[in-house]
Structure formats: C-alpha cells, structure tokens
C-alpha cells in the first residue's frame, strides 16, 4: 500500500439513513467489490482513494462512512464540521429514506455552517428497478431545489459510483481554485497533500523488488 | 597696416556713410534672398551689426531705404533666428559655418564697436590667410538674390532702429553734404567703400583701393547697373544728408574693431575649415570646397565675371586683415601673408574694378539700368561677398552633414568591427538571450525525468518502510483523528457537565472520575515493567474487549495479528530464509505489520470510545471498563514489542546467513524504531479515551440520578 503523491486531501462524509448502502458504495468505490451482506457500521469508518481532478492533479478523498443508525447520530454529528463535502444517500427502494433527505441535508448544513460544503445527492440501489419507490425525477427535483448535484447509483453494477465521486472531487477542487474554500488551520476539510516524505531514511539498498507489501 | 587703411577710410567719414548705404542694400539683398546667415550668429551681436548697418543705411539717406534695410535686416534676423531654431534642414543653408560666421562677424564688427568692443578685442587674433575665401566663391546666389524683389519687412524693431538711425542720419547729413553734395553715385561709391571697410575686411581691402585709386575707380563702377539701383537711389539721397556722425567719432575705433573682428572671423573660419578639413581628410570626406564647386559649376560658368569679383573680394578681406595682402591674394587666390601689400593693392583694386565692370555688364544684361557703376560694382562685390559667404555656409553645412554622416558610419563600423571587446560583449549578451537548443532542452528534460523517476522510486520505497505513511494508509491515522475529535468533544462536555452539576452530585461522581483517571495514568507504569514474554494475543484481546461489554468483536484486530504471526511462523519454518525473502522485504513486511496492527488497535479504541458513549449499559462500572481498556492497550503494546523482536530476529538470521550484518543492522534498528512509534500511537489512542470514559460515567450518573 504505497502512498502516491497527491495535492490535497478532501474529507467527505457520507450520511443517510441506515441500510441505504453507504458502506457498499464506499467499498465499491475503494475496492471495486460488492458484498450483498455487511455489518452495520459502528460509529464511523474510513475509506480513502486518490482521484484525478484534472490532468496531473490528484487529490486524496478521505471518506467518512458514518453509521446511519439513530443511536450514533450524536457521534456522527461531531464529524460534520471537518468535512468539505457531504454525500447524502437514500435508497430508491425505500421511500422513507428519501423523505429523510431534507432532514439530513439540514443537519449537515447546520453543522457545517461556517464552511461552504459541497453537497451531492445519491439515489442508491438503482439496480433494483423492480422495487423502485422513488423516481429519478423526484430525486433530481429535490437536488435541483437545493442546488445540489444528483446521481442514481448502484454498488452492484457500479453505475455512477465513479462519476459521483469524480464530480464532487472536481467541484471541491474548483471551489478551492476559486477561493470559495481555503485551507485553514483547525479545519481538516481540506488539507494539503503531503509532499514526498523527506524523512526518507535509506536503511537499505536492495534490488528494489516490490515486496508483497501492497 | 590694415588699420592704417582703415583709418584712412574712416577719415572719409561721409564716404563711409555712403558706404553704409551699400551695406544697407546688401543687407536688404540678404534679407530678400532669405539668407540670413549673418544674423544667425544670433544673440545681441547680429542685432548690433544689423542695427549698425541699418543705421548706416539710414544715415545714408532716405527713410524708406533705411527702413527697407533695417526691416530687411530685422527680418533677416528674425528669419535667421527662426531658422536657427529649426535645426537641421535650415541649418544646411544657414548654419553658421565659417563662411557665414565671417560674414556675420564682419557686420558685427561695426556694431560691436558700439556695443561690444571688448569682444572684438578678445576676438582679435592673428588671422592668417583665408584660403577658403578665395576658394569658395560661388556666385550662385547672386543671381537669385538680385533677382528677388524687395519685400517690405516692417517690424517694430525696424522702426526703432529707424528712429535711432534717423538721428544719426541727421547728424551725418551735414558732414556728408559738405563733402559730397555732388553725385549720388560718388557718394554711394564712397559709402560702398566705407561699407566694405566697416562691413568686413573684404570691403576694407577695397577701401584701401578706394583710398588709393578711390574716387577714380568709383566712377567706373558706376557704369554697371545694379539690381538694387532703386534702393540705392533712395539711399543715396539719404546718404547725402547724412553726416557720418557715428563714423566721425567712432571711426578709429570702428576700424580697429572691424579689423579685429575680421581677423577673428577669418580666423574662426579658418579654424573651422582646418578642423573640418582635417576631419574630412581623415574620414575621406570630400572637402566642402569640392562640394561647393561640384554644386556650382554651372553658375560659375554662367557668371564668370562675378566669380572673379567674388574671388577677389575674399582676398580683400584678408588684405584688410593683414593689410594689403588681399590684393595679392586676389591674384594667387591664396594671398596670405603679405606685408608689401600696398603695392599689390592697386592691382587688386584694378582687378576688382574690372570684375565690377564685367559684373556691371552682366547685370545690365539682366536688364537693370545703370545708375552708378561704382555703386553697383560695390554692391555686387558686397553681394558677392555675402553670397559667397552664404554659399560657403551652405556648402559647409552640406559638407558638414556629409561629414556627420560619414562620422556616424565610421563610428559604427569602428565600434562594430574594430572593437573586439564590444563584439565579445555583444556575443555574450546574445548568448544570454539565446534559448538553449532543442537538443539541450531535451537532454535536460530527460535528466530531470530520470531524477524525478529515481526520486519517485526512492520515495515509494521509503513509503514502504515509512510507518506513518502506512499507518495512514490503513486508516489508523483517520481513526486516531476521529478519536481525538471524540475525545475533545467529550472533554468539553465533561467540563460543562461538571460545572453545571450540583454539589452533592459532584461529590458522588468525583471518586469515580478520579479512579478512572488513575487507571489511565497507571496503565503503562505497570506495563513498562512488564515482560516481553509470549502471550496469547487474541485471547487476551477478546477477553478485555468483552469486559468492556460493548458488543464489539475484535475481529479485524485479531485477524491482522494472526496474519502477522503466520508470516513469521512461515519464515522460521523454512530452512533457507534468504530464499524466501531478503532483508529488505522482511523489513518492509515488519513495518507493514506493525502499521497494520497499530491501525487496527487505534480503530478498536476509536470504536470502543464511540460505543462507550452510546451504550447505556450499566452492568459494568466505568472504572472497570477503564481497567479493561488499560489491559487491552498493554496487550497491544506487548504484541507490538513481540512482533518487533521476531522481525528483528528474522532480519538477523538473514544477515548471518548472507554475511550482511552491516546491511541488516540499520533495518533492525528501524523496525524497533517503528515499533516504539506504534506503541506511542496505541498509548495515545488509549489516553484519548479518558475524557470519553469520564464523559460516559457522568452521563450514566446523571441518568441514574434522574
């Protein structure tokens, strides 16, 4: 697991009702795998991936996968503040998750207040067309009403997963370039990428074969 | 010697006055012709000269003539000044080249008598010979000037001068009338002679003649018809009346001054010409004379007579300067130094007269009626003088421009071609400006890419053995940060809760909080004395976690630990360790394993913290949970130590087998270093749980109290 160089680290937070598939999305995004069954998230989990926001510029997306369970709400709330991007996920086969969108959105906005966060709405499980309870149009209308970007995704087919994260990464980067977002001390939403580690200690010079570390 | 002559001429005051008439005409002509060269000298002097001229002219007679003269002078001045301002183009024509200066100075001399005697004196120098004068006689302008009709130049100044001159005229009238009541022509002739003297040495030379052959010659000249006859007539009338008041008193001074001025002017001219000559010769520029000749051959052809006169006149100047040298000079055209003078003077005069006659005839051919040949001849002469002066000026100006051009070229070539230093400097500058060639750029890019690749490789390898990077990769750092956030939030909560708590409640809860705190502080005091003996990691971990009653299983942690152990076991099971892996791989593996374990440990603490806060399970006291956590952390730290030891043994084995102990030793060191790093992270994570546990304890206490 060798760490390539990146310019910035964007901290994103995934919120939404329990069992909408947040962890599945991230798992697919980071590992390209999909598991039908997985344990509910405890507290918060972390995923990370590098993305190219423009040719030659890579950013590291550190994604906080929060527990959707109500009992973790008090904890997950404390993680909003240090996020630059918020991805709100609902399940298109579960109407209630869509109806909670507004609540999630406002909670996130309230806790992120001093900083302008970039939001993204994902209607997940788009592969389950049979059980659809929320049309794509409804989801899109909600997003447009609040000026947010919208995708319908599927961790099973991989539909729009990559695009979604690419979109939010590019938007964030653009905001950064435009000066809407700035690097700030005490705020970890955006952190400078670490340059090549200078503490390089040449402890040994081998033939440079790649060990099984990765 | 010239002085003597001058004096003589001065004595003929009235005549001079008449002569002034001529001057005026001359001036007029000048002004008409638009060649204000004399005035160009600019400043007060020219004015003075002109004024004097004017005065004279006025004195000579009629107000009109005077006016004309003055006016023309003024205008000429003005012109000249204007022209002087506009430099180059006009400068060609009017540049105060030697010739021009000579001329202008000549008139100045008169004025200078009145105005600036000192300058004259100073000016006075020994003028040698004016070769130029003789050389450059180009009569070009004569025709033009003569042909030009008189325009009236009335300027306020002119009036002023008129007034002055009128007074002078009145005075002079008497004397004139006494001496020369008779013929206007005579007067004019005389005056012309005077003019010569006063004007310039040229004229003085003639004056000398006049003085000698004087009046005789005048009549001869009178035959010729001068273009200015009309003016002359007018002037003549005035001239009769005018006495030479100023002449009378100032004649001697005037003469002296004139001489000095003449010498000066000639000197200056010479000096200039010599300078120019030398420059030209050095640069290979054609001499102004040649230029002038080249310019004026046609004119010379057409007006041979005038040429002669012209040639004669410059010599006269010289003659006047150097006494009668001029006459000779007229013959030789280089009459420089003669002190015999007087004898030769007559021939010169005769020559002049002849020339004048020729001129007269020529002029008459122009259709000018004859009034006084003398006057005309004199006028012509003076005109010629002026003209030659002008032309000289022109030619010199032109030549000067050529010279300048040539100088410029020479300078450029010299600078560019003959100055190695400059070339070097230029090459240097060019080199600096030059962009590197494509090949060199490519080479540089290649080198840079190589260096970059090497650096990348190095850093990549470094990252493989960089515990911090690996720790971050495994999300250990993220969990640590999250745990820190949780801890900070709990700490704030604890503070606010305690401050808001009632006294008795606070007393109840305080022992528990202190107990928890003590547990955390003592946790590693014990551990440090702890042995590194083998332990059942997964069992201990699971035990301690279950003690927390959090409902979480240390699956990840146990799995990672198992993997590491398995790898080490595999390593030992092989006979030839070096076949499986070399030292570097073992090192990477060791650090990777440490990072994994640490990450999972931190994650476990993080989760524990979150769960502790959320669970309202009161079956286990928070003190007990704290102790469990302390044990867990100590187990983790111990495990890290054991792993480090085992990996070090692996490395040492490889080192022994391969006889590369020196190579392996730093690796062992690094493994131990990163192990201590890992322990640090684990202990930090554990300590971060203190506020969380306190917070949870207070929460539960509050919940109970409610």
């Amino acid at each position: 697991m060798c760490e390539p160089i990146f310019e910035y680290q964007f901290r994103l937070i995934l919120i939404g009702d329990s069992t909408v598939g947040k962890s599945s999305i991230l798992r697919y995004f980071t590992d390209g795998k999909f598991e039908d069954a997985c344990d509910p998230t405890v507290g918060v989990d972390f995923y990370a991936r590098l993305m190219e926001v423009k040719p030659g510029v890579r950013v590291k997306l550190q994604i906080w996968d929060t527990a959707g369970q109500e009992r973790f709400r008090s904890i997950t709330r404390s993680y909003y503040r240090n996020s630059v991007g918020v991805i709100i996920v609902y399940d298109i086969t579960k109407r209630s998750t869509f109806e909670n969108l507004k609540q999630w959105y406002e909670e996130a906005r309230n806790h992120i207040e001093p900083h302008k966060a970039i939001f993204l709405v994902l209607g997940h499980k788009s592969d389950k067309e049979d059980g659809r309870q929320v049309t794509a149009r409804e989801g899109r209308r909600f997003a447009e009403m609040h000026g947010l970007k919208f995708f319908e995704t599927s961790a099973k087919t991989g539909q729009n997963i990559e695009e979604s994260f690419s979109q939010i990464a590019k938007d964030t980067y653009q905001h950064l370039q435009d000066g809407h977002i700035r690097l700030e001390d005490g705020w970890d939403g955006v952190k400078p990428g670490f340059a090549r580690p200078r503490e390089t200690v040449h402890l040994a010079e081998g033939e440079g074969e790649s060990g099984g570390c990765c | 010697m010239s002085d003597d002559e001058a004096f003589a001429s001065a004595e003929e005051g009235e005549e001079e006055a008449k002569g002034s008439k001529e001057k005026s005409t001359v001036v007029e002509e000048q002004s008409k012709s638009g060649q204000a060269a004399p005035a160009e000298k600019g400043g007060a002097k020219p004015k003075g000269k002109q004024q004097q001229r004017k005065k004279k002219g006025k004195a000579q007679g009629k107000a009109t003539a005077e006016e004309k003269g003055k006016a023309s002078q003024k205008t000429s001045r003005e012109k000249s000044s204007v022209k002087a301002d506009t430099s180059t183009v006009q400068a060609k024509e009017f540049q105060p080249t030697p010739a021009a200066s000579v001329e202008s100075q000549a008139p100045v001399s008169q004025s200078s008598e009145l105005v600036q005697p000192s300058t004259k004196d100073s000016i006075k120098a020994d003028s040698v010979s004016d070769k130029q004068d003789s050389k450059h006689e180009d009569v070009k302008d004569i025709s033009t000037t003569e042909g030009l009709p008189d325009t009236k130049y009335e300027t306020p100044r002119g009036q002023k001068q008129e007034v002055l001159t009128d007074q002078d005229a009145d005075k002079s009238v008497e004397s004139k009338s006494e001496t020369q009541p008779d013929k206007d022509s005579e007067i004019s002739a005389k005056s012309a002679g005077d003019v010569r003297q006063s004007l310039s040495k040229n004229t003085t030379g003639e004056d000398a003649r006049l003085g000698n052959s004087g009046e005789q010659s005048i009549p001869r000249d009178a035959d010729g018809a001068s273009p200015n006859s009309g003016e002359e007539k007018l002037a003549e009338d005035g001239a009769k009346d005018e006495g030479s008041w100023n002449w009378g008193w100032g004649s001697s001074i005037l003469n002296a001054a004139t001489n000095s001025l003449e010498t000066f002017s000639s000197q200056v001219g010479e000096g200039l010409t010599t300078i120019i000559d030398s420059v030209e010769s050095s640069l290979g520029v054609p001499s102004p004379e040649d230029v002038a000749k080249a310019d004026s051959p046609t004119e010379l052809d057409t007006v041979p007579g005038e040429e002669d006169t012209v040639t004669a006149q410059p010599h006269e100047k010289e003659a006047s300067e150097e006494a009668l040298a001029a006459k000779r000079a007229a013959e030789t055209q280089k009459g420089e130094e003669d002190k015999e003078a007087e004898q030769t003077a007559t021939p010169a005069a005769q020559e002049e007269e002849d020339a004048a006659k020729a001129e007269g005839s020529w002029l008459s051919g122009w259709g000018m009626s004859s009034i006084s040949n003398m006057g005309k001849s004199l006028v012509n002469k003076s005109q010629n003088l002026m003209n030659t002066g002008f032309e000289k000026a022109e030619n010199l100006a032109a030549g000067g421009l050529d010279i300048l051009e040539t100088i410029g070229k020479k300078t450029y070539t010299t600078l560019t071609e003959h100055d190695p230093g400059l070339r070097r400097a230029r090459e240097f500058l060019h080199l600096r400006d030059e962009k590197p060639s494509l090949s060199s750029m490519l080479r540089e890019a290649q080198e840079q890419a190589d260096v970059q690749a090497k650096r990348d490789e190095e850093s990549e390898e470094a990252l493989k053995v960089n515990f911090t990077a690996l720790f971050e990769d495994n999300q250990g750092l993220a969990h640590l940060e999250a745990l820190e956030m949780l801890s900070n939030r709990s700490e704030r909560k604890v503070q606010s809760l305690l401050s808001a708590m009632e006294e008795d409640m606070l007393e109840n809860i305080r022992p528990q909080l202190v107990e928890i705190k003590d547990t955390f502080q003592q946790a590693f005091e014990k551990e440090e004395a702890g042995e590194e003996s083998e332990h059942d990691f997964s069992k201990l971990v699971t035990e301690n976690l279950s003690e927390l009653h959090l409902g979480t299983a240390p699956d990840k942690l146990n799995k990672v630990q198992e993997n590491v152990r398995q790898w080490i076991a595999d390593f030992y099971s092989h006979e030839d360790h070096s076949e499986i892996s070399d030292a570097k791989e073992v090192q990477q593996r060791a650090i990777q394993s440490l990072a994994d374990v640490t990450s999972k440990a931190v994650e476990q603490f993080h989760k524990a913290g979150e769960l502790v806060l959320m669970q309202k399970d009161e079956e286990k006291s928070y003190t007990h949970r704290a102790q469990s956590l302390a044990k867990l952390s100590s187990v983790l730290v111990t495990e890290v130590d054991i792993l480090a030891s085992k990996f070090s043994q692996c490395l040492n084995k490889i080192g022994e087998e391969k006889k590369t102990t020196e190579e392996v030793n730093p690796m062992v060191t690094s493994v131990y270093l990163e192990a201590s790093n890992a322990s640090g992270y684990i202990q930090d994570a554990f300590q971060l749980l203190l506020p969380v546990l306190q917070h949870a304890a207070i929460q539960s206490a509050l919940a109970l109290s409610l």
Side-chain angles (χ1 to χ4, degrees):
Chain A
M1 287 252 232
C2 311
E3 179 109 12
I5 308 306
F6 54 89
E7 198 158 310
Y8 296 105
Q9 173 182 290
F10 296 156
R11 185 171 292 179
L12 310 178
I13 187 167
L14 233 68
I15 57 174
D17 279 359
S18 182
T19 72
V20 296
K22 298 184 290 297
S23 298
S24 292
I25 291 173
L26 285 176
R27 212 164 287 144
Y28 184 89
F29 177 61
T30 53
D31 295 341
K33 293 180 203 158
F34 172 72
E35 293 167 22
D36 264 323
C38 63
D39 297 333
T41 306
V42 176
V44 65
D45 270 333
F46 302 96
Y47 296 85
R49 218 192 96 172
L50 288 173
M51 286 213 88
E52 202 169 52
V53 289
K54 79 176 188 191
V57 179
R58 291 191 294 184
V59 298
K60 177 179 175 184
L61 300 181
Q62 188 190 66
I63 305 151
W64 292 41
D65 178 24
T66 61
Q69 292 172 339
E70 182 62 33
R71 62 187 185 118
F72 290 109
R73 279 286 180 97
S74 63
I75 294 175
T76 55
R77 267 188 216 115
S78 61
Y79 300 137
Y80 284 126
R81 190 186 160 271
N82 278 299
S83 304
V84 73
V86 180
I87 298 172
I88 312 173
V89 187
Y90 71 90
D91 182 355
I92 65 161
T93 63
K94 206 171 174 185
R95 184 84 196 171
S96 63
T97 61
F98 174 73
E99 283 160 357
N100 282 334
L101 268 187
K102 195 174 172 65
Q103 187 192 336
W104 283 109
Y105 173 63
E106 283 177 353
E107 183 179 277
R109 271 188 42 160
N110 288 340
H111 287 87
I112 265 174
E113 200 51 60
H115 305 286
K116 265 199 135 185
I118 290 93
F119 286 89
L120 182 70
V121 177
L122 297 183
H124 195 47
K125 303 185 185 176
S126 65
D127 56 297
K128 291 183 177 174
E129 198 57 53
D130 295 343
R132 181 184 281 272
Q133 292 181 1
V134 182
T135 65
R137 200 173 157 198
E138 284 175 294
R140 180 162 289 109
R141 198 189 304 142
F142 172 86
E144 283 171 358
M145 255 173 54
H146 299 87
L148 317 174
K149 294 253 168 53
F150 174 78
F151 287 99
E152 278 205 346
T153 58
S154 167
K156 200 168 188 177
T157 66
Q159 182 200 5
N160 280 341
I161 300 278
E162 190 78 14
E163 290 82 350
S164 304
F165 286 97
S166 175
Q167 182 67 54
I168 197 168
K170 282 175 181 170
D171 286 354
T172 307
Y173 185 73
Q174 192 56 47
H175 275 243
L176 197 63
Q177 297 299 99
D178 294 346
H180 299 308
I181 299 171
R182 262 167 278 114
L183 296 175
E184 290 174 39
D185 284 340
W187 182 61
D188 297 328
V190 179
K191 288 200 286 191
F194 72 95
R196 316 169 184 293
R198 288 304 170 208
E199 73 267 34
T200 313
V201 185
H202 287 275
L203 298 164
E205 46 274 16
E207 289 76 69
E209 84 277 48
S210 55
C213 63
C214 298
Chain B
M1 314 166 83
S2 60
D3 291 353
D4 296 345
E5 289 182 0
F7 280 112
S9 62
E11 291 172 359
E12 305 169 358
E14 308 104 4
E15 291 180 2
E16 288 183 5
K18 296 164 192 172
S20 68
K21 191 213 225 167
E22 276 196 359
K23 290 179 186 173
S24 67
T25 58
V26 170
V27 172
E28 286 174 3
E29 288 176 2
Q30 289 180 351
S31 61
K32 291 170 190 173
S33 65
Q35 296 175 338
E40 285 177 9
K41 270 201 159 183
K45 282 187 179 180
K47 280 189 181 179
K49 301 168 188 178
Q50 289 175 351
Q51 285 182 356
Q52 288 175 354
R53 286 184 189 176
K54 290 172 189 176
K55 287 178 185 176
K56 288 177 182 178
K58 292 167 189 174
Q60 287 167 0
K62 300 176 182 178
T64 56
E66 292 172 0
E67 283 182 4
K68 282 184 182 178
K70 296 171 185 175
S72 62
Q73 289 174 353
K74 297 165 189 173
T75 51
S76 67
R77 275 184 233 152
E78 293 171 354
K79 286 180 185 175
S80 65
S81 62
V82 172
K83 290 169 185 174
D85 293 345
T86 60
S87 56
T88 53
V89 178
Q90 296 172 348
K92 271 191 182 177
E93 298 178 359
F94 301 100
Q95 266 185 355
T97 53
S101 65
V102 170
E103 282 189 358
S104 58
Q105 283 173 354
V108 171
S109 64
Q110 296 179 344
S111 62
S112 61
E113 296 165 352
L114 304 173
V115 186
Q116 299 171 336
S118 63
T119 54
K120 295 170 192 174
D121 296 345
S122 64
I123 289 166
K124 231 187 195 176
D126 313 327
S127 69
V128 194
S129 61
D130 299 348
K131 300 170 186 177
Q132 307 171 343
D133 294 352
S134 57
K135 288 179 185 174
H136 318 286
E137 315 96 298
D138 312 353
V139 200
K140 292 181 198 172
D141 294 354
I142 294 179
S143 58
T144 56
T145 51
E146 289 178 356
L148 285 174
D150 290 352
T151 50
K152 304 200 173 174
Y153 315 86
E154 292 256 357
T155 57
R157 246 196 174 181
Q159 292 179 353
K160 256 195 194 170
Q161 291 177 348
E162 284 178 13
V163 176
L164 296 175
T165 51
D166 286 341
Q167 293 178 352
D168 298 342
D170 296 338
K171 295 179 181 176
S172 65
V173 166
E174 296 177 0
S175 60
K176 283 184 180 176
S177 61
E178 291 175 5
T179 52
Q180 298 172 341
D182 333 349
K183 299 176 184 180
D184 300 348
S185 65
E186 281 187 3
I187 295 168
S188 66
K190 290 178 182 176
S191 64
D194 296 351
V195 171
R196 292 173 202 158
Q197 291 181 344
S198 59
L199 270 180
S200 63
K201 295 153 190 191
N202 319 337
T203 49
T204 53
E206 287 191 346
D207 291 337
R209 277 183 262 149
L210 292 176
N212 300 337
S213 59
E215 276 114 41
Q216 297 172 356
S217 65
I218 293 171
R220 289 186 212 160
D221 294 342
D223 301 338
S226 70
N228 304 325
S229 57
E231 299 171 7
E232 285 183 350
K233 286 176 184 178
L234 296 177
E236 283 171 7
D237 298 337
K240 293 174 188 174
D241 302 337
E242 292 171 359
S244 60
W245 176 75
N246 23 350
W247 304 118
W249 63 264
S251 60
S252 61
I253 302 173
L254 276 176
N255 286 334
T258 309
N259 292 336
S260 63
L261 259 187
E262 284 166 355
T263 51
F264 169 73
S265 59
S266 61
Q267 263 191 331
V268 171
E270 267 191 57
L272 274 174
T273 49
T274 48
I275 291 168
I276 290 174
D277 282 342
S278 59
V279 172
E280 285 173 351
S281 61
S282 64
L283 292 174
V285 174
S287 69
E289 291 89 355
D290 297 339
V291 175
K293 285 172 187 171
D295 290 343
S296 61
T298 51
E299 293 167 10
L300 291 175
D301 295 344
T302 52
V303 199
E306 286 188 358
E307 258 193 303
D308 294 347
T309 57
V310 173
T311 53
Q313 284 169 353
H315 297 299
E316 290 171 4
K317 288 182 187 175
E318 298 169 3
S320 65
E321 296 171 11
E322 307 165 0
L324 302 177
K327 293 160 190 175
R328 239 203 211 168
E331 296 173 355
T332 57
Q333 292 212 337
K334 300 214 172 181
E336 293 144 5
E337 31 353 68
D338 334 0
K339 318 267 163 156
E340 334 136 13
E342 311 256 333
Q343 303 167 354
T344 54
T346 27
Q350 285 176 354
E351 267 193 3
E352 279 187 4
E353 288 171 0
D354 297 340
K357 284 177 186 176
E359 279 184 358
S361 60
W362 179 74
L363 291 170
S364 63
W366 236 260
M368 306 298 192
S369 62
S370 65
I371 296 176
S372 68
N373 292 337
M374 247 266 302
K376 284 182 185 173
S377 69
L378 288 174
V379 168
N380 287 335
K381 285 177 186 173
S382 56
Q383 281 179 344
N384 292 338
L385 276 177
M386 305 294 283
N387 290 333
T388 42
F390 290 136
E391 290 202 0
K392 272 192 208 167
E394 276 189 25
N395 295 330
L396 282 175
L401 282 180
D402 292 341
I403 292 164
L404 280 178
E405 196 178 345
T406 317
I407 289 173
K409 282 181 183 172
K410 282 258 181 186
T411 310
Y412 181 75
T413 51
T414 306
L415 283 178
T416 51
E417 292 173 7
H418 302 307
D419 185 356
L422 178 72
R423 194 189 295 150
R424 225 177 293 131
R426 206 168 40 181
E427 281 171 3
F428 174 69
L429 289 173
H430 274 283
L431 269 180
R432 271 177 56 179
D433 287 343
E434 265 179 4
K435 291 183 176 175
S437 64
L438 183 62
S439 60
S440 69
M441 281 178 72
L442 287 174
R443 209 180 309 125
E444 272 179 30
Q446 181 62 44
E447 284 168 5
Q448 271 187 345
D450 288 347
V451 170
Q452 186 66 39
K454 205 173 184 181
R455 203 181 295 154
D456 283 349
E457 208 175 294
E458 280 177 8
S459 64
E460 225 170 273
E461 286 193 5
L463 281 173
K464 282 180 189 172
V465 295
N466 182 285
F467 176 82
T468 310
L470 293 171
F471 181 60
E472 192 175 341
D473 264 356
N474 290 343
Q475 308 306 332
L477 197 60
H479 280 289
L480 195 61
E481 283 179 22
L483 179 57
E484 196 172 355
M485 288 163 67
L486 199 67
S487 175
N488 289 337
R489 180 163 154 266
S490 290
E491 199 170 353
R492 285 196 299 273
K493 281 270 185 190
V494 168
Q495 296 298 329
S496 64
L497 285 173
L498 286 178
S499 62
M501 202 175 284
E502 290 174 16
E503 198 60 33
D504 53 343
M505 185 71 185
L506 197 61
E507 289 305 319
N508 286 343
I509 208 167
R510 178 165 292 163
Q512 193 183 4
L513 295 181
V514 172
E515 205 176 351
I516 294 170
K517 192 179 177 185
D518 289 343
T519 308
F520 273 85
Q521 282 178 344
Q522 293 161 7
F524 289 98
E525 288 170 9
K526 283 184 205 161
E527 293 311 319
E528 283 179 30
E531 78 295 353
E532 277 186 24
S533 60
E534 190 59 79
H535 62 165
D536 188 347
F537 176 77
S538 56
K539 182 178 165 248
L540 285 173
V541 168
T542 309
E543 263 181 32
N544 286 312
L545 271 181
S546 63
E547 286 295 301
L548 287 172
H549 270 251
L550 295 177
T552 59
D555 295 339
K556 287 183 185 176
L557 190 55
N558 284 339
K559 198 178 175 187
V560 167
Q561 193 266 348
E562 277 172 28
N563 285 343
V564 175
R565 292 282 184 155
Q566 189 61 49
W567 188 91
I568 295 172
D570 287 349
F571 183 84
Y572 277 110
S573 66
H574 280 78
E575 288 298 317
D576 192 356
H577 309 291
S578 55
E579 275 184 7
I580 301 175
S581 56
D582 71 348
K584 190 170 179 92
E585 192 182 343
V586 172
Q587 184 205 18
Q588 285 177 2
R589 178 77 206 185
I591 293 168
Q592 178 74 43
S593 302
L594 289 173
D596 281 351
V597 171
T598 312
S599 298
K600 294 300 174 270
V602 171
E603 185 177 346
Q604 199 66 61
F605 281 127
H606 180 212
K607 299 285 181 203
E610 285 176 336
L611 290 172
V612 162
L613 272 181
M614 286 184 306
Q615 281 188 347
K616 312 297 178 189
D617 182 4
E618 298 301 324
E619 287 181 20
K620 295 280 180 183
S621 73
Y622 286 96
T623 307
H624 185 70
R625 290 181 181 183
Q627 287 166 353
S628 296
L629 284 172
K631 282 177 193 165
L632 178 62
S633 67
S634 81
V635 169
L636 289 168
V637 169
T638 307
E639 179 64 17
V640 166
D641 285 343
I642 291 169
L643 290 179
S645 303
K646 288 193 179 289
F647 278 116
S648 297
Q649 288 167 18
C650 294
L651 284 172
N652 283 330
K653 276 206 167 189
I654 292 173
E656 285 169 18
E657 288 170 14
K658 285 192 170 184
K659 314 285 184 194
T660 54
T661 317
E662 300 88 10
E663 193 182 301
V664 165
N665 277 341
M667 292 186 189
V668 173
T669 311
S670 80
V671 168
Y672 276 118
L673 182 71
E674 300 299 7
S676 71
N677 236 340
S679 299
Y681 279 117
I682 290 168
Q683 293 179 28
D684 285 347
F686 171 67
Q687 292 298 330
L688 283 173
L689 285 173
L690 170 59
V692 176
L693 276 178
Q694 287 180 329
H695 181 205
I698 295 169
Q699 267 185 338
S700 69
L702 286 173
L704 282 177
S705 68
L706 292 176

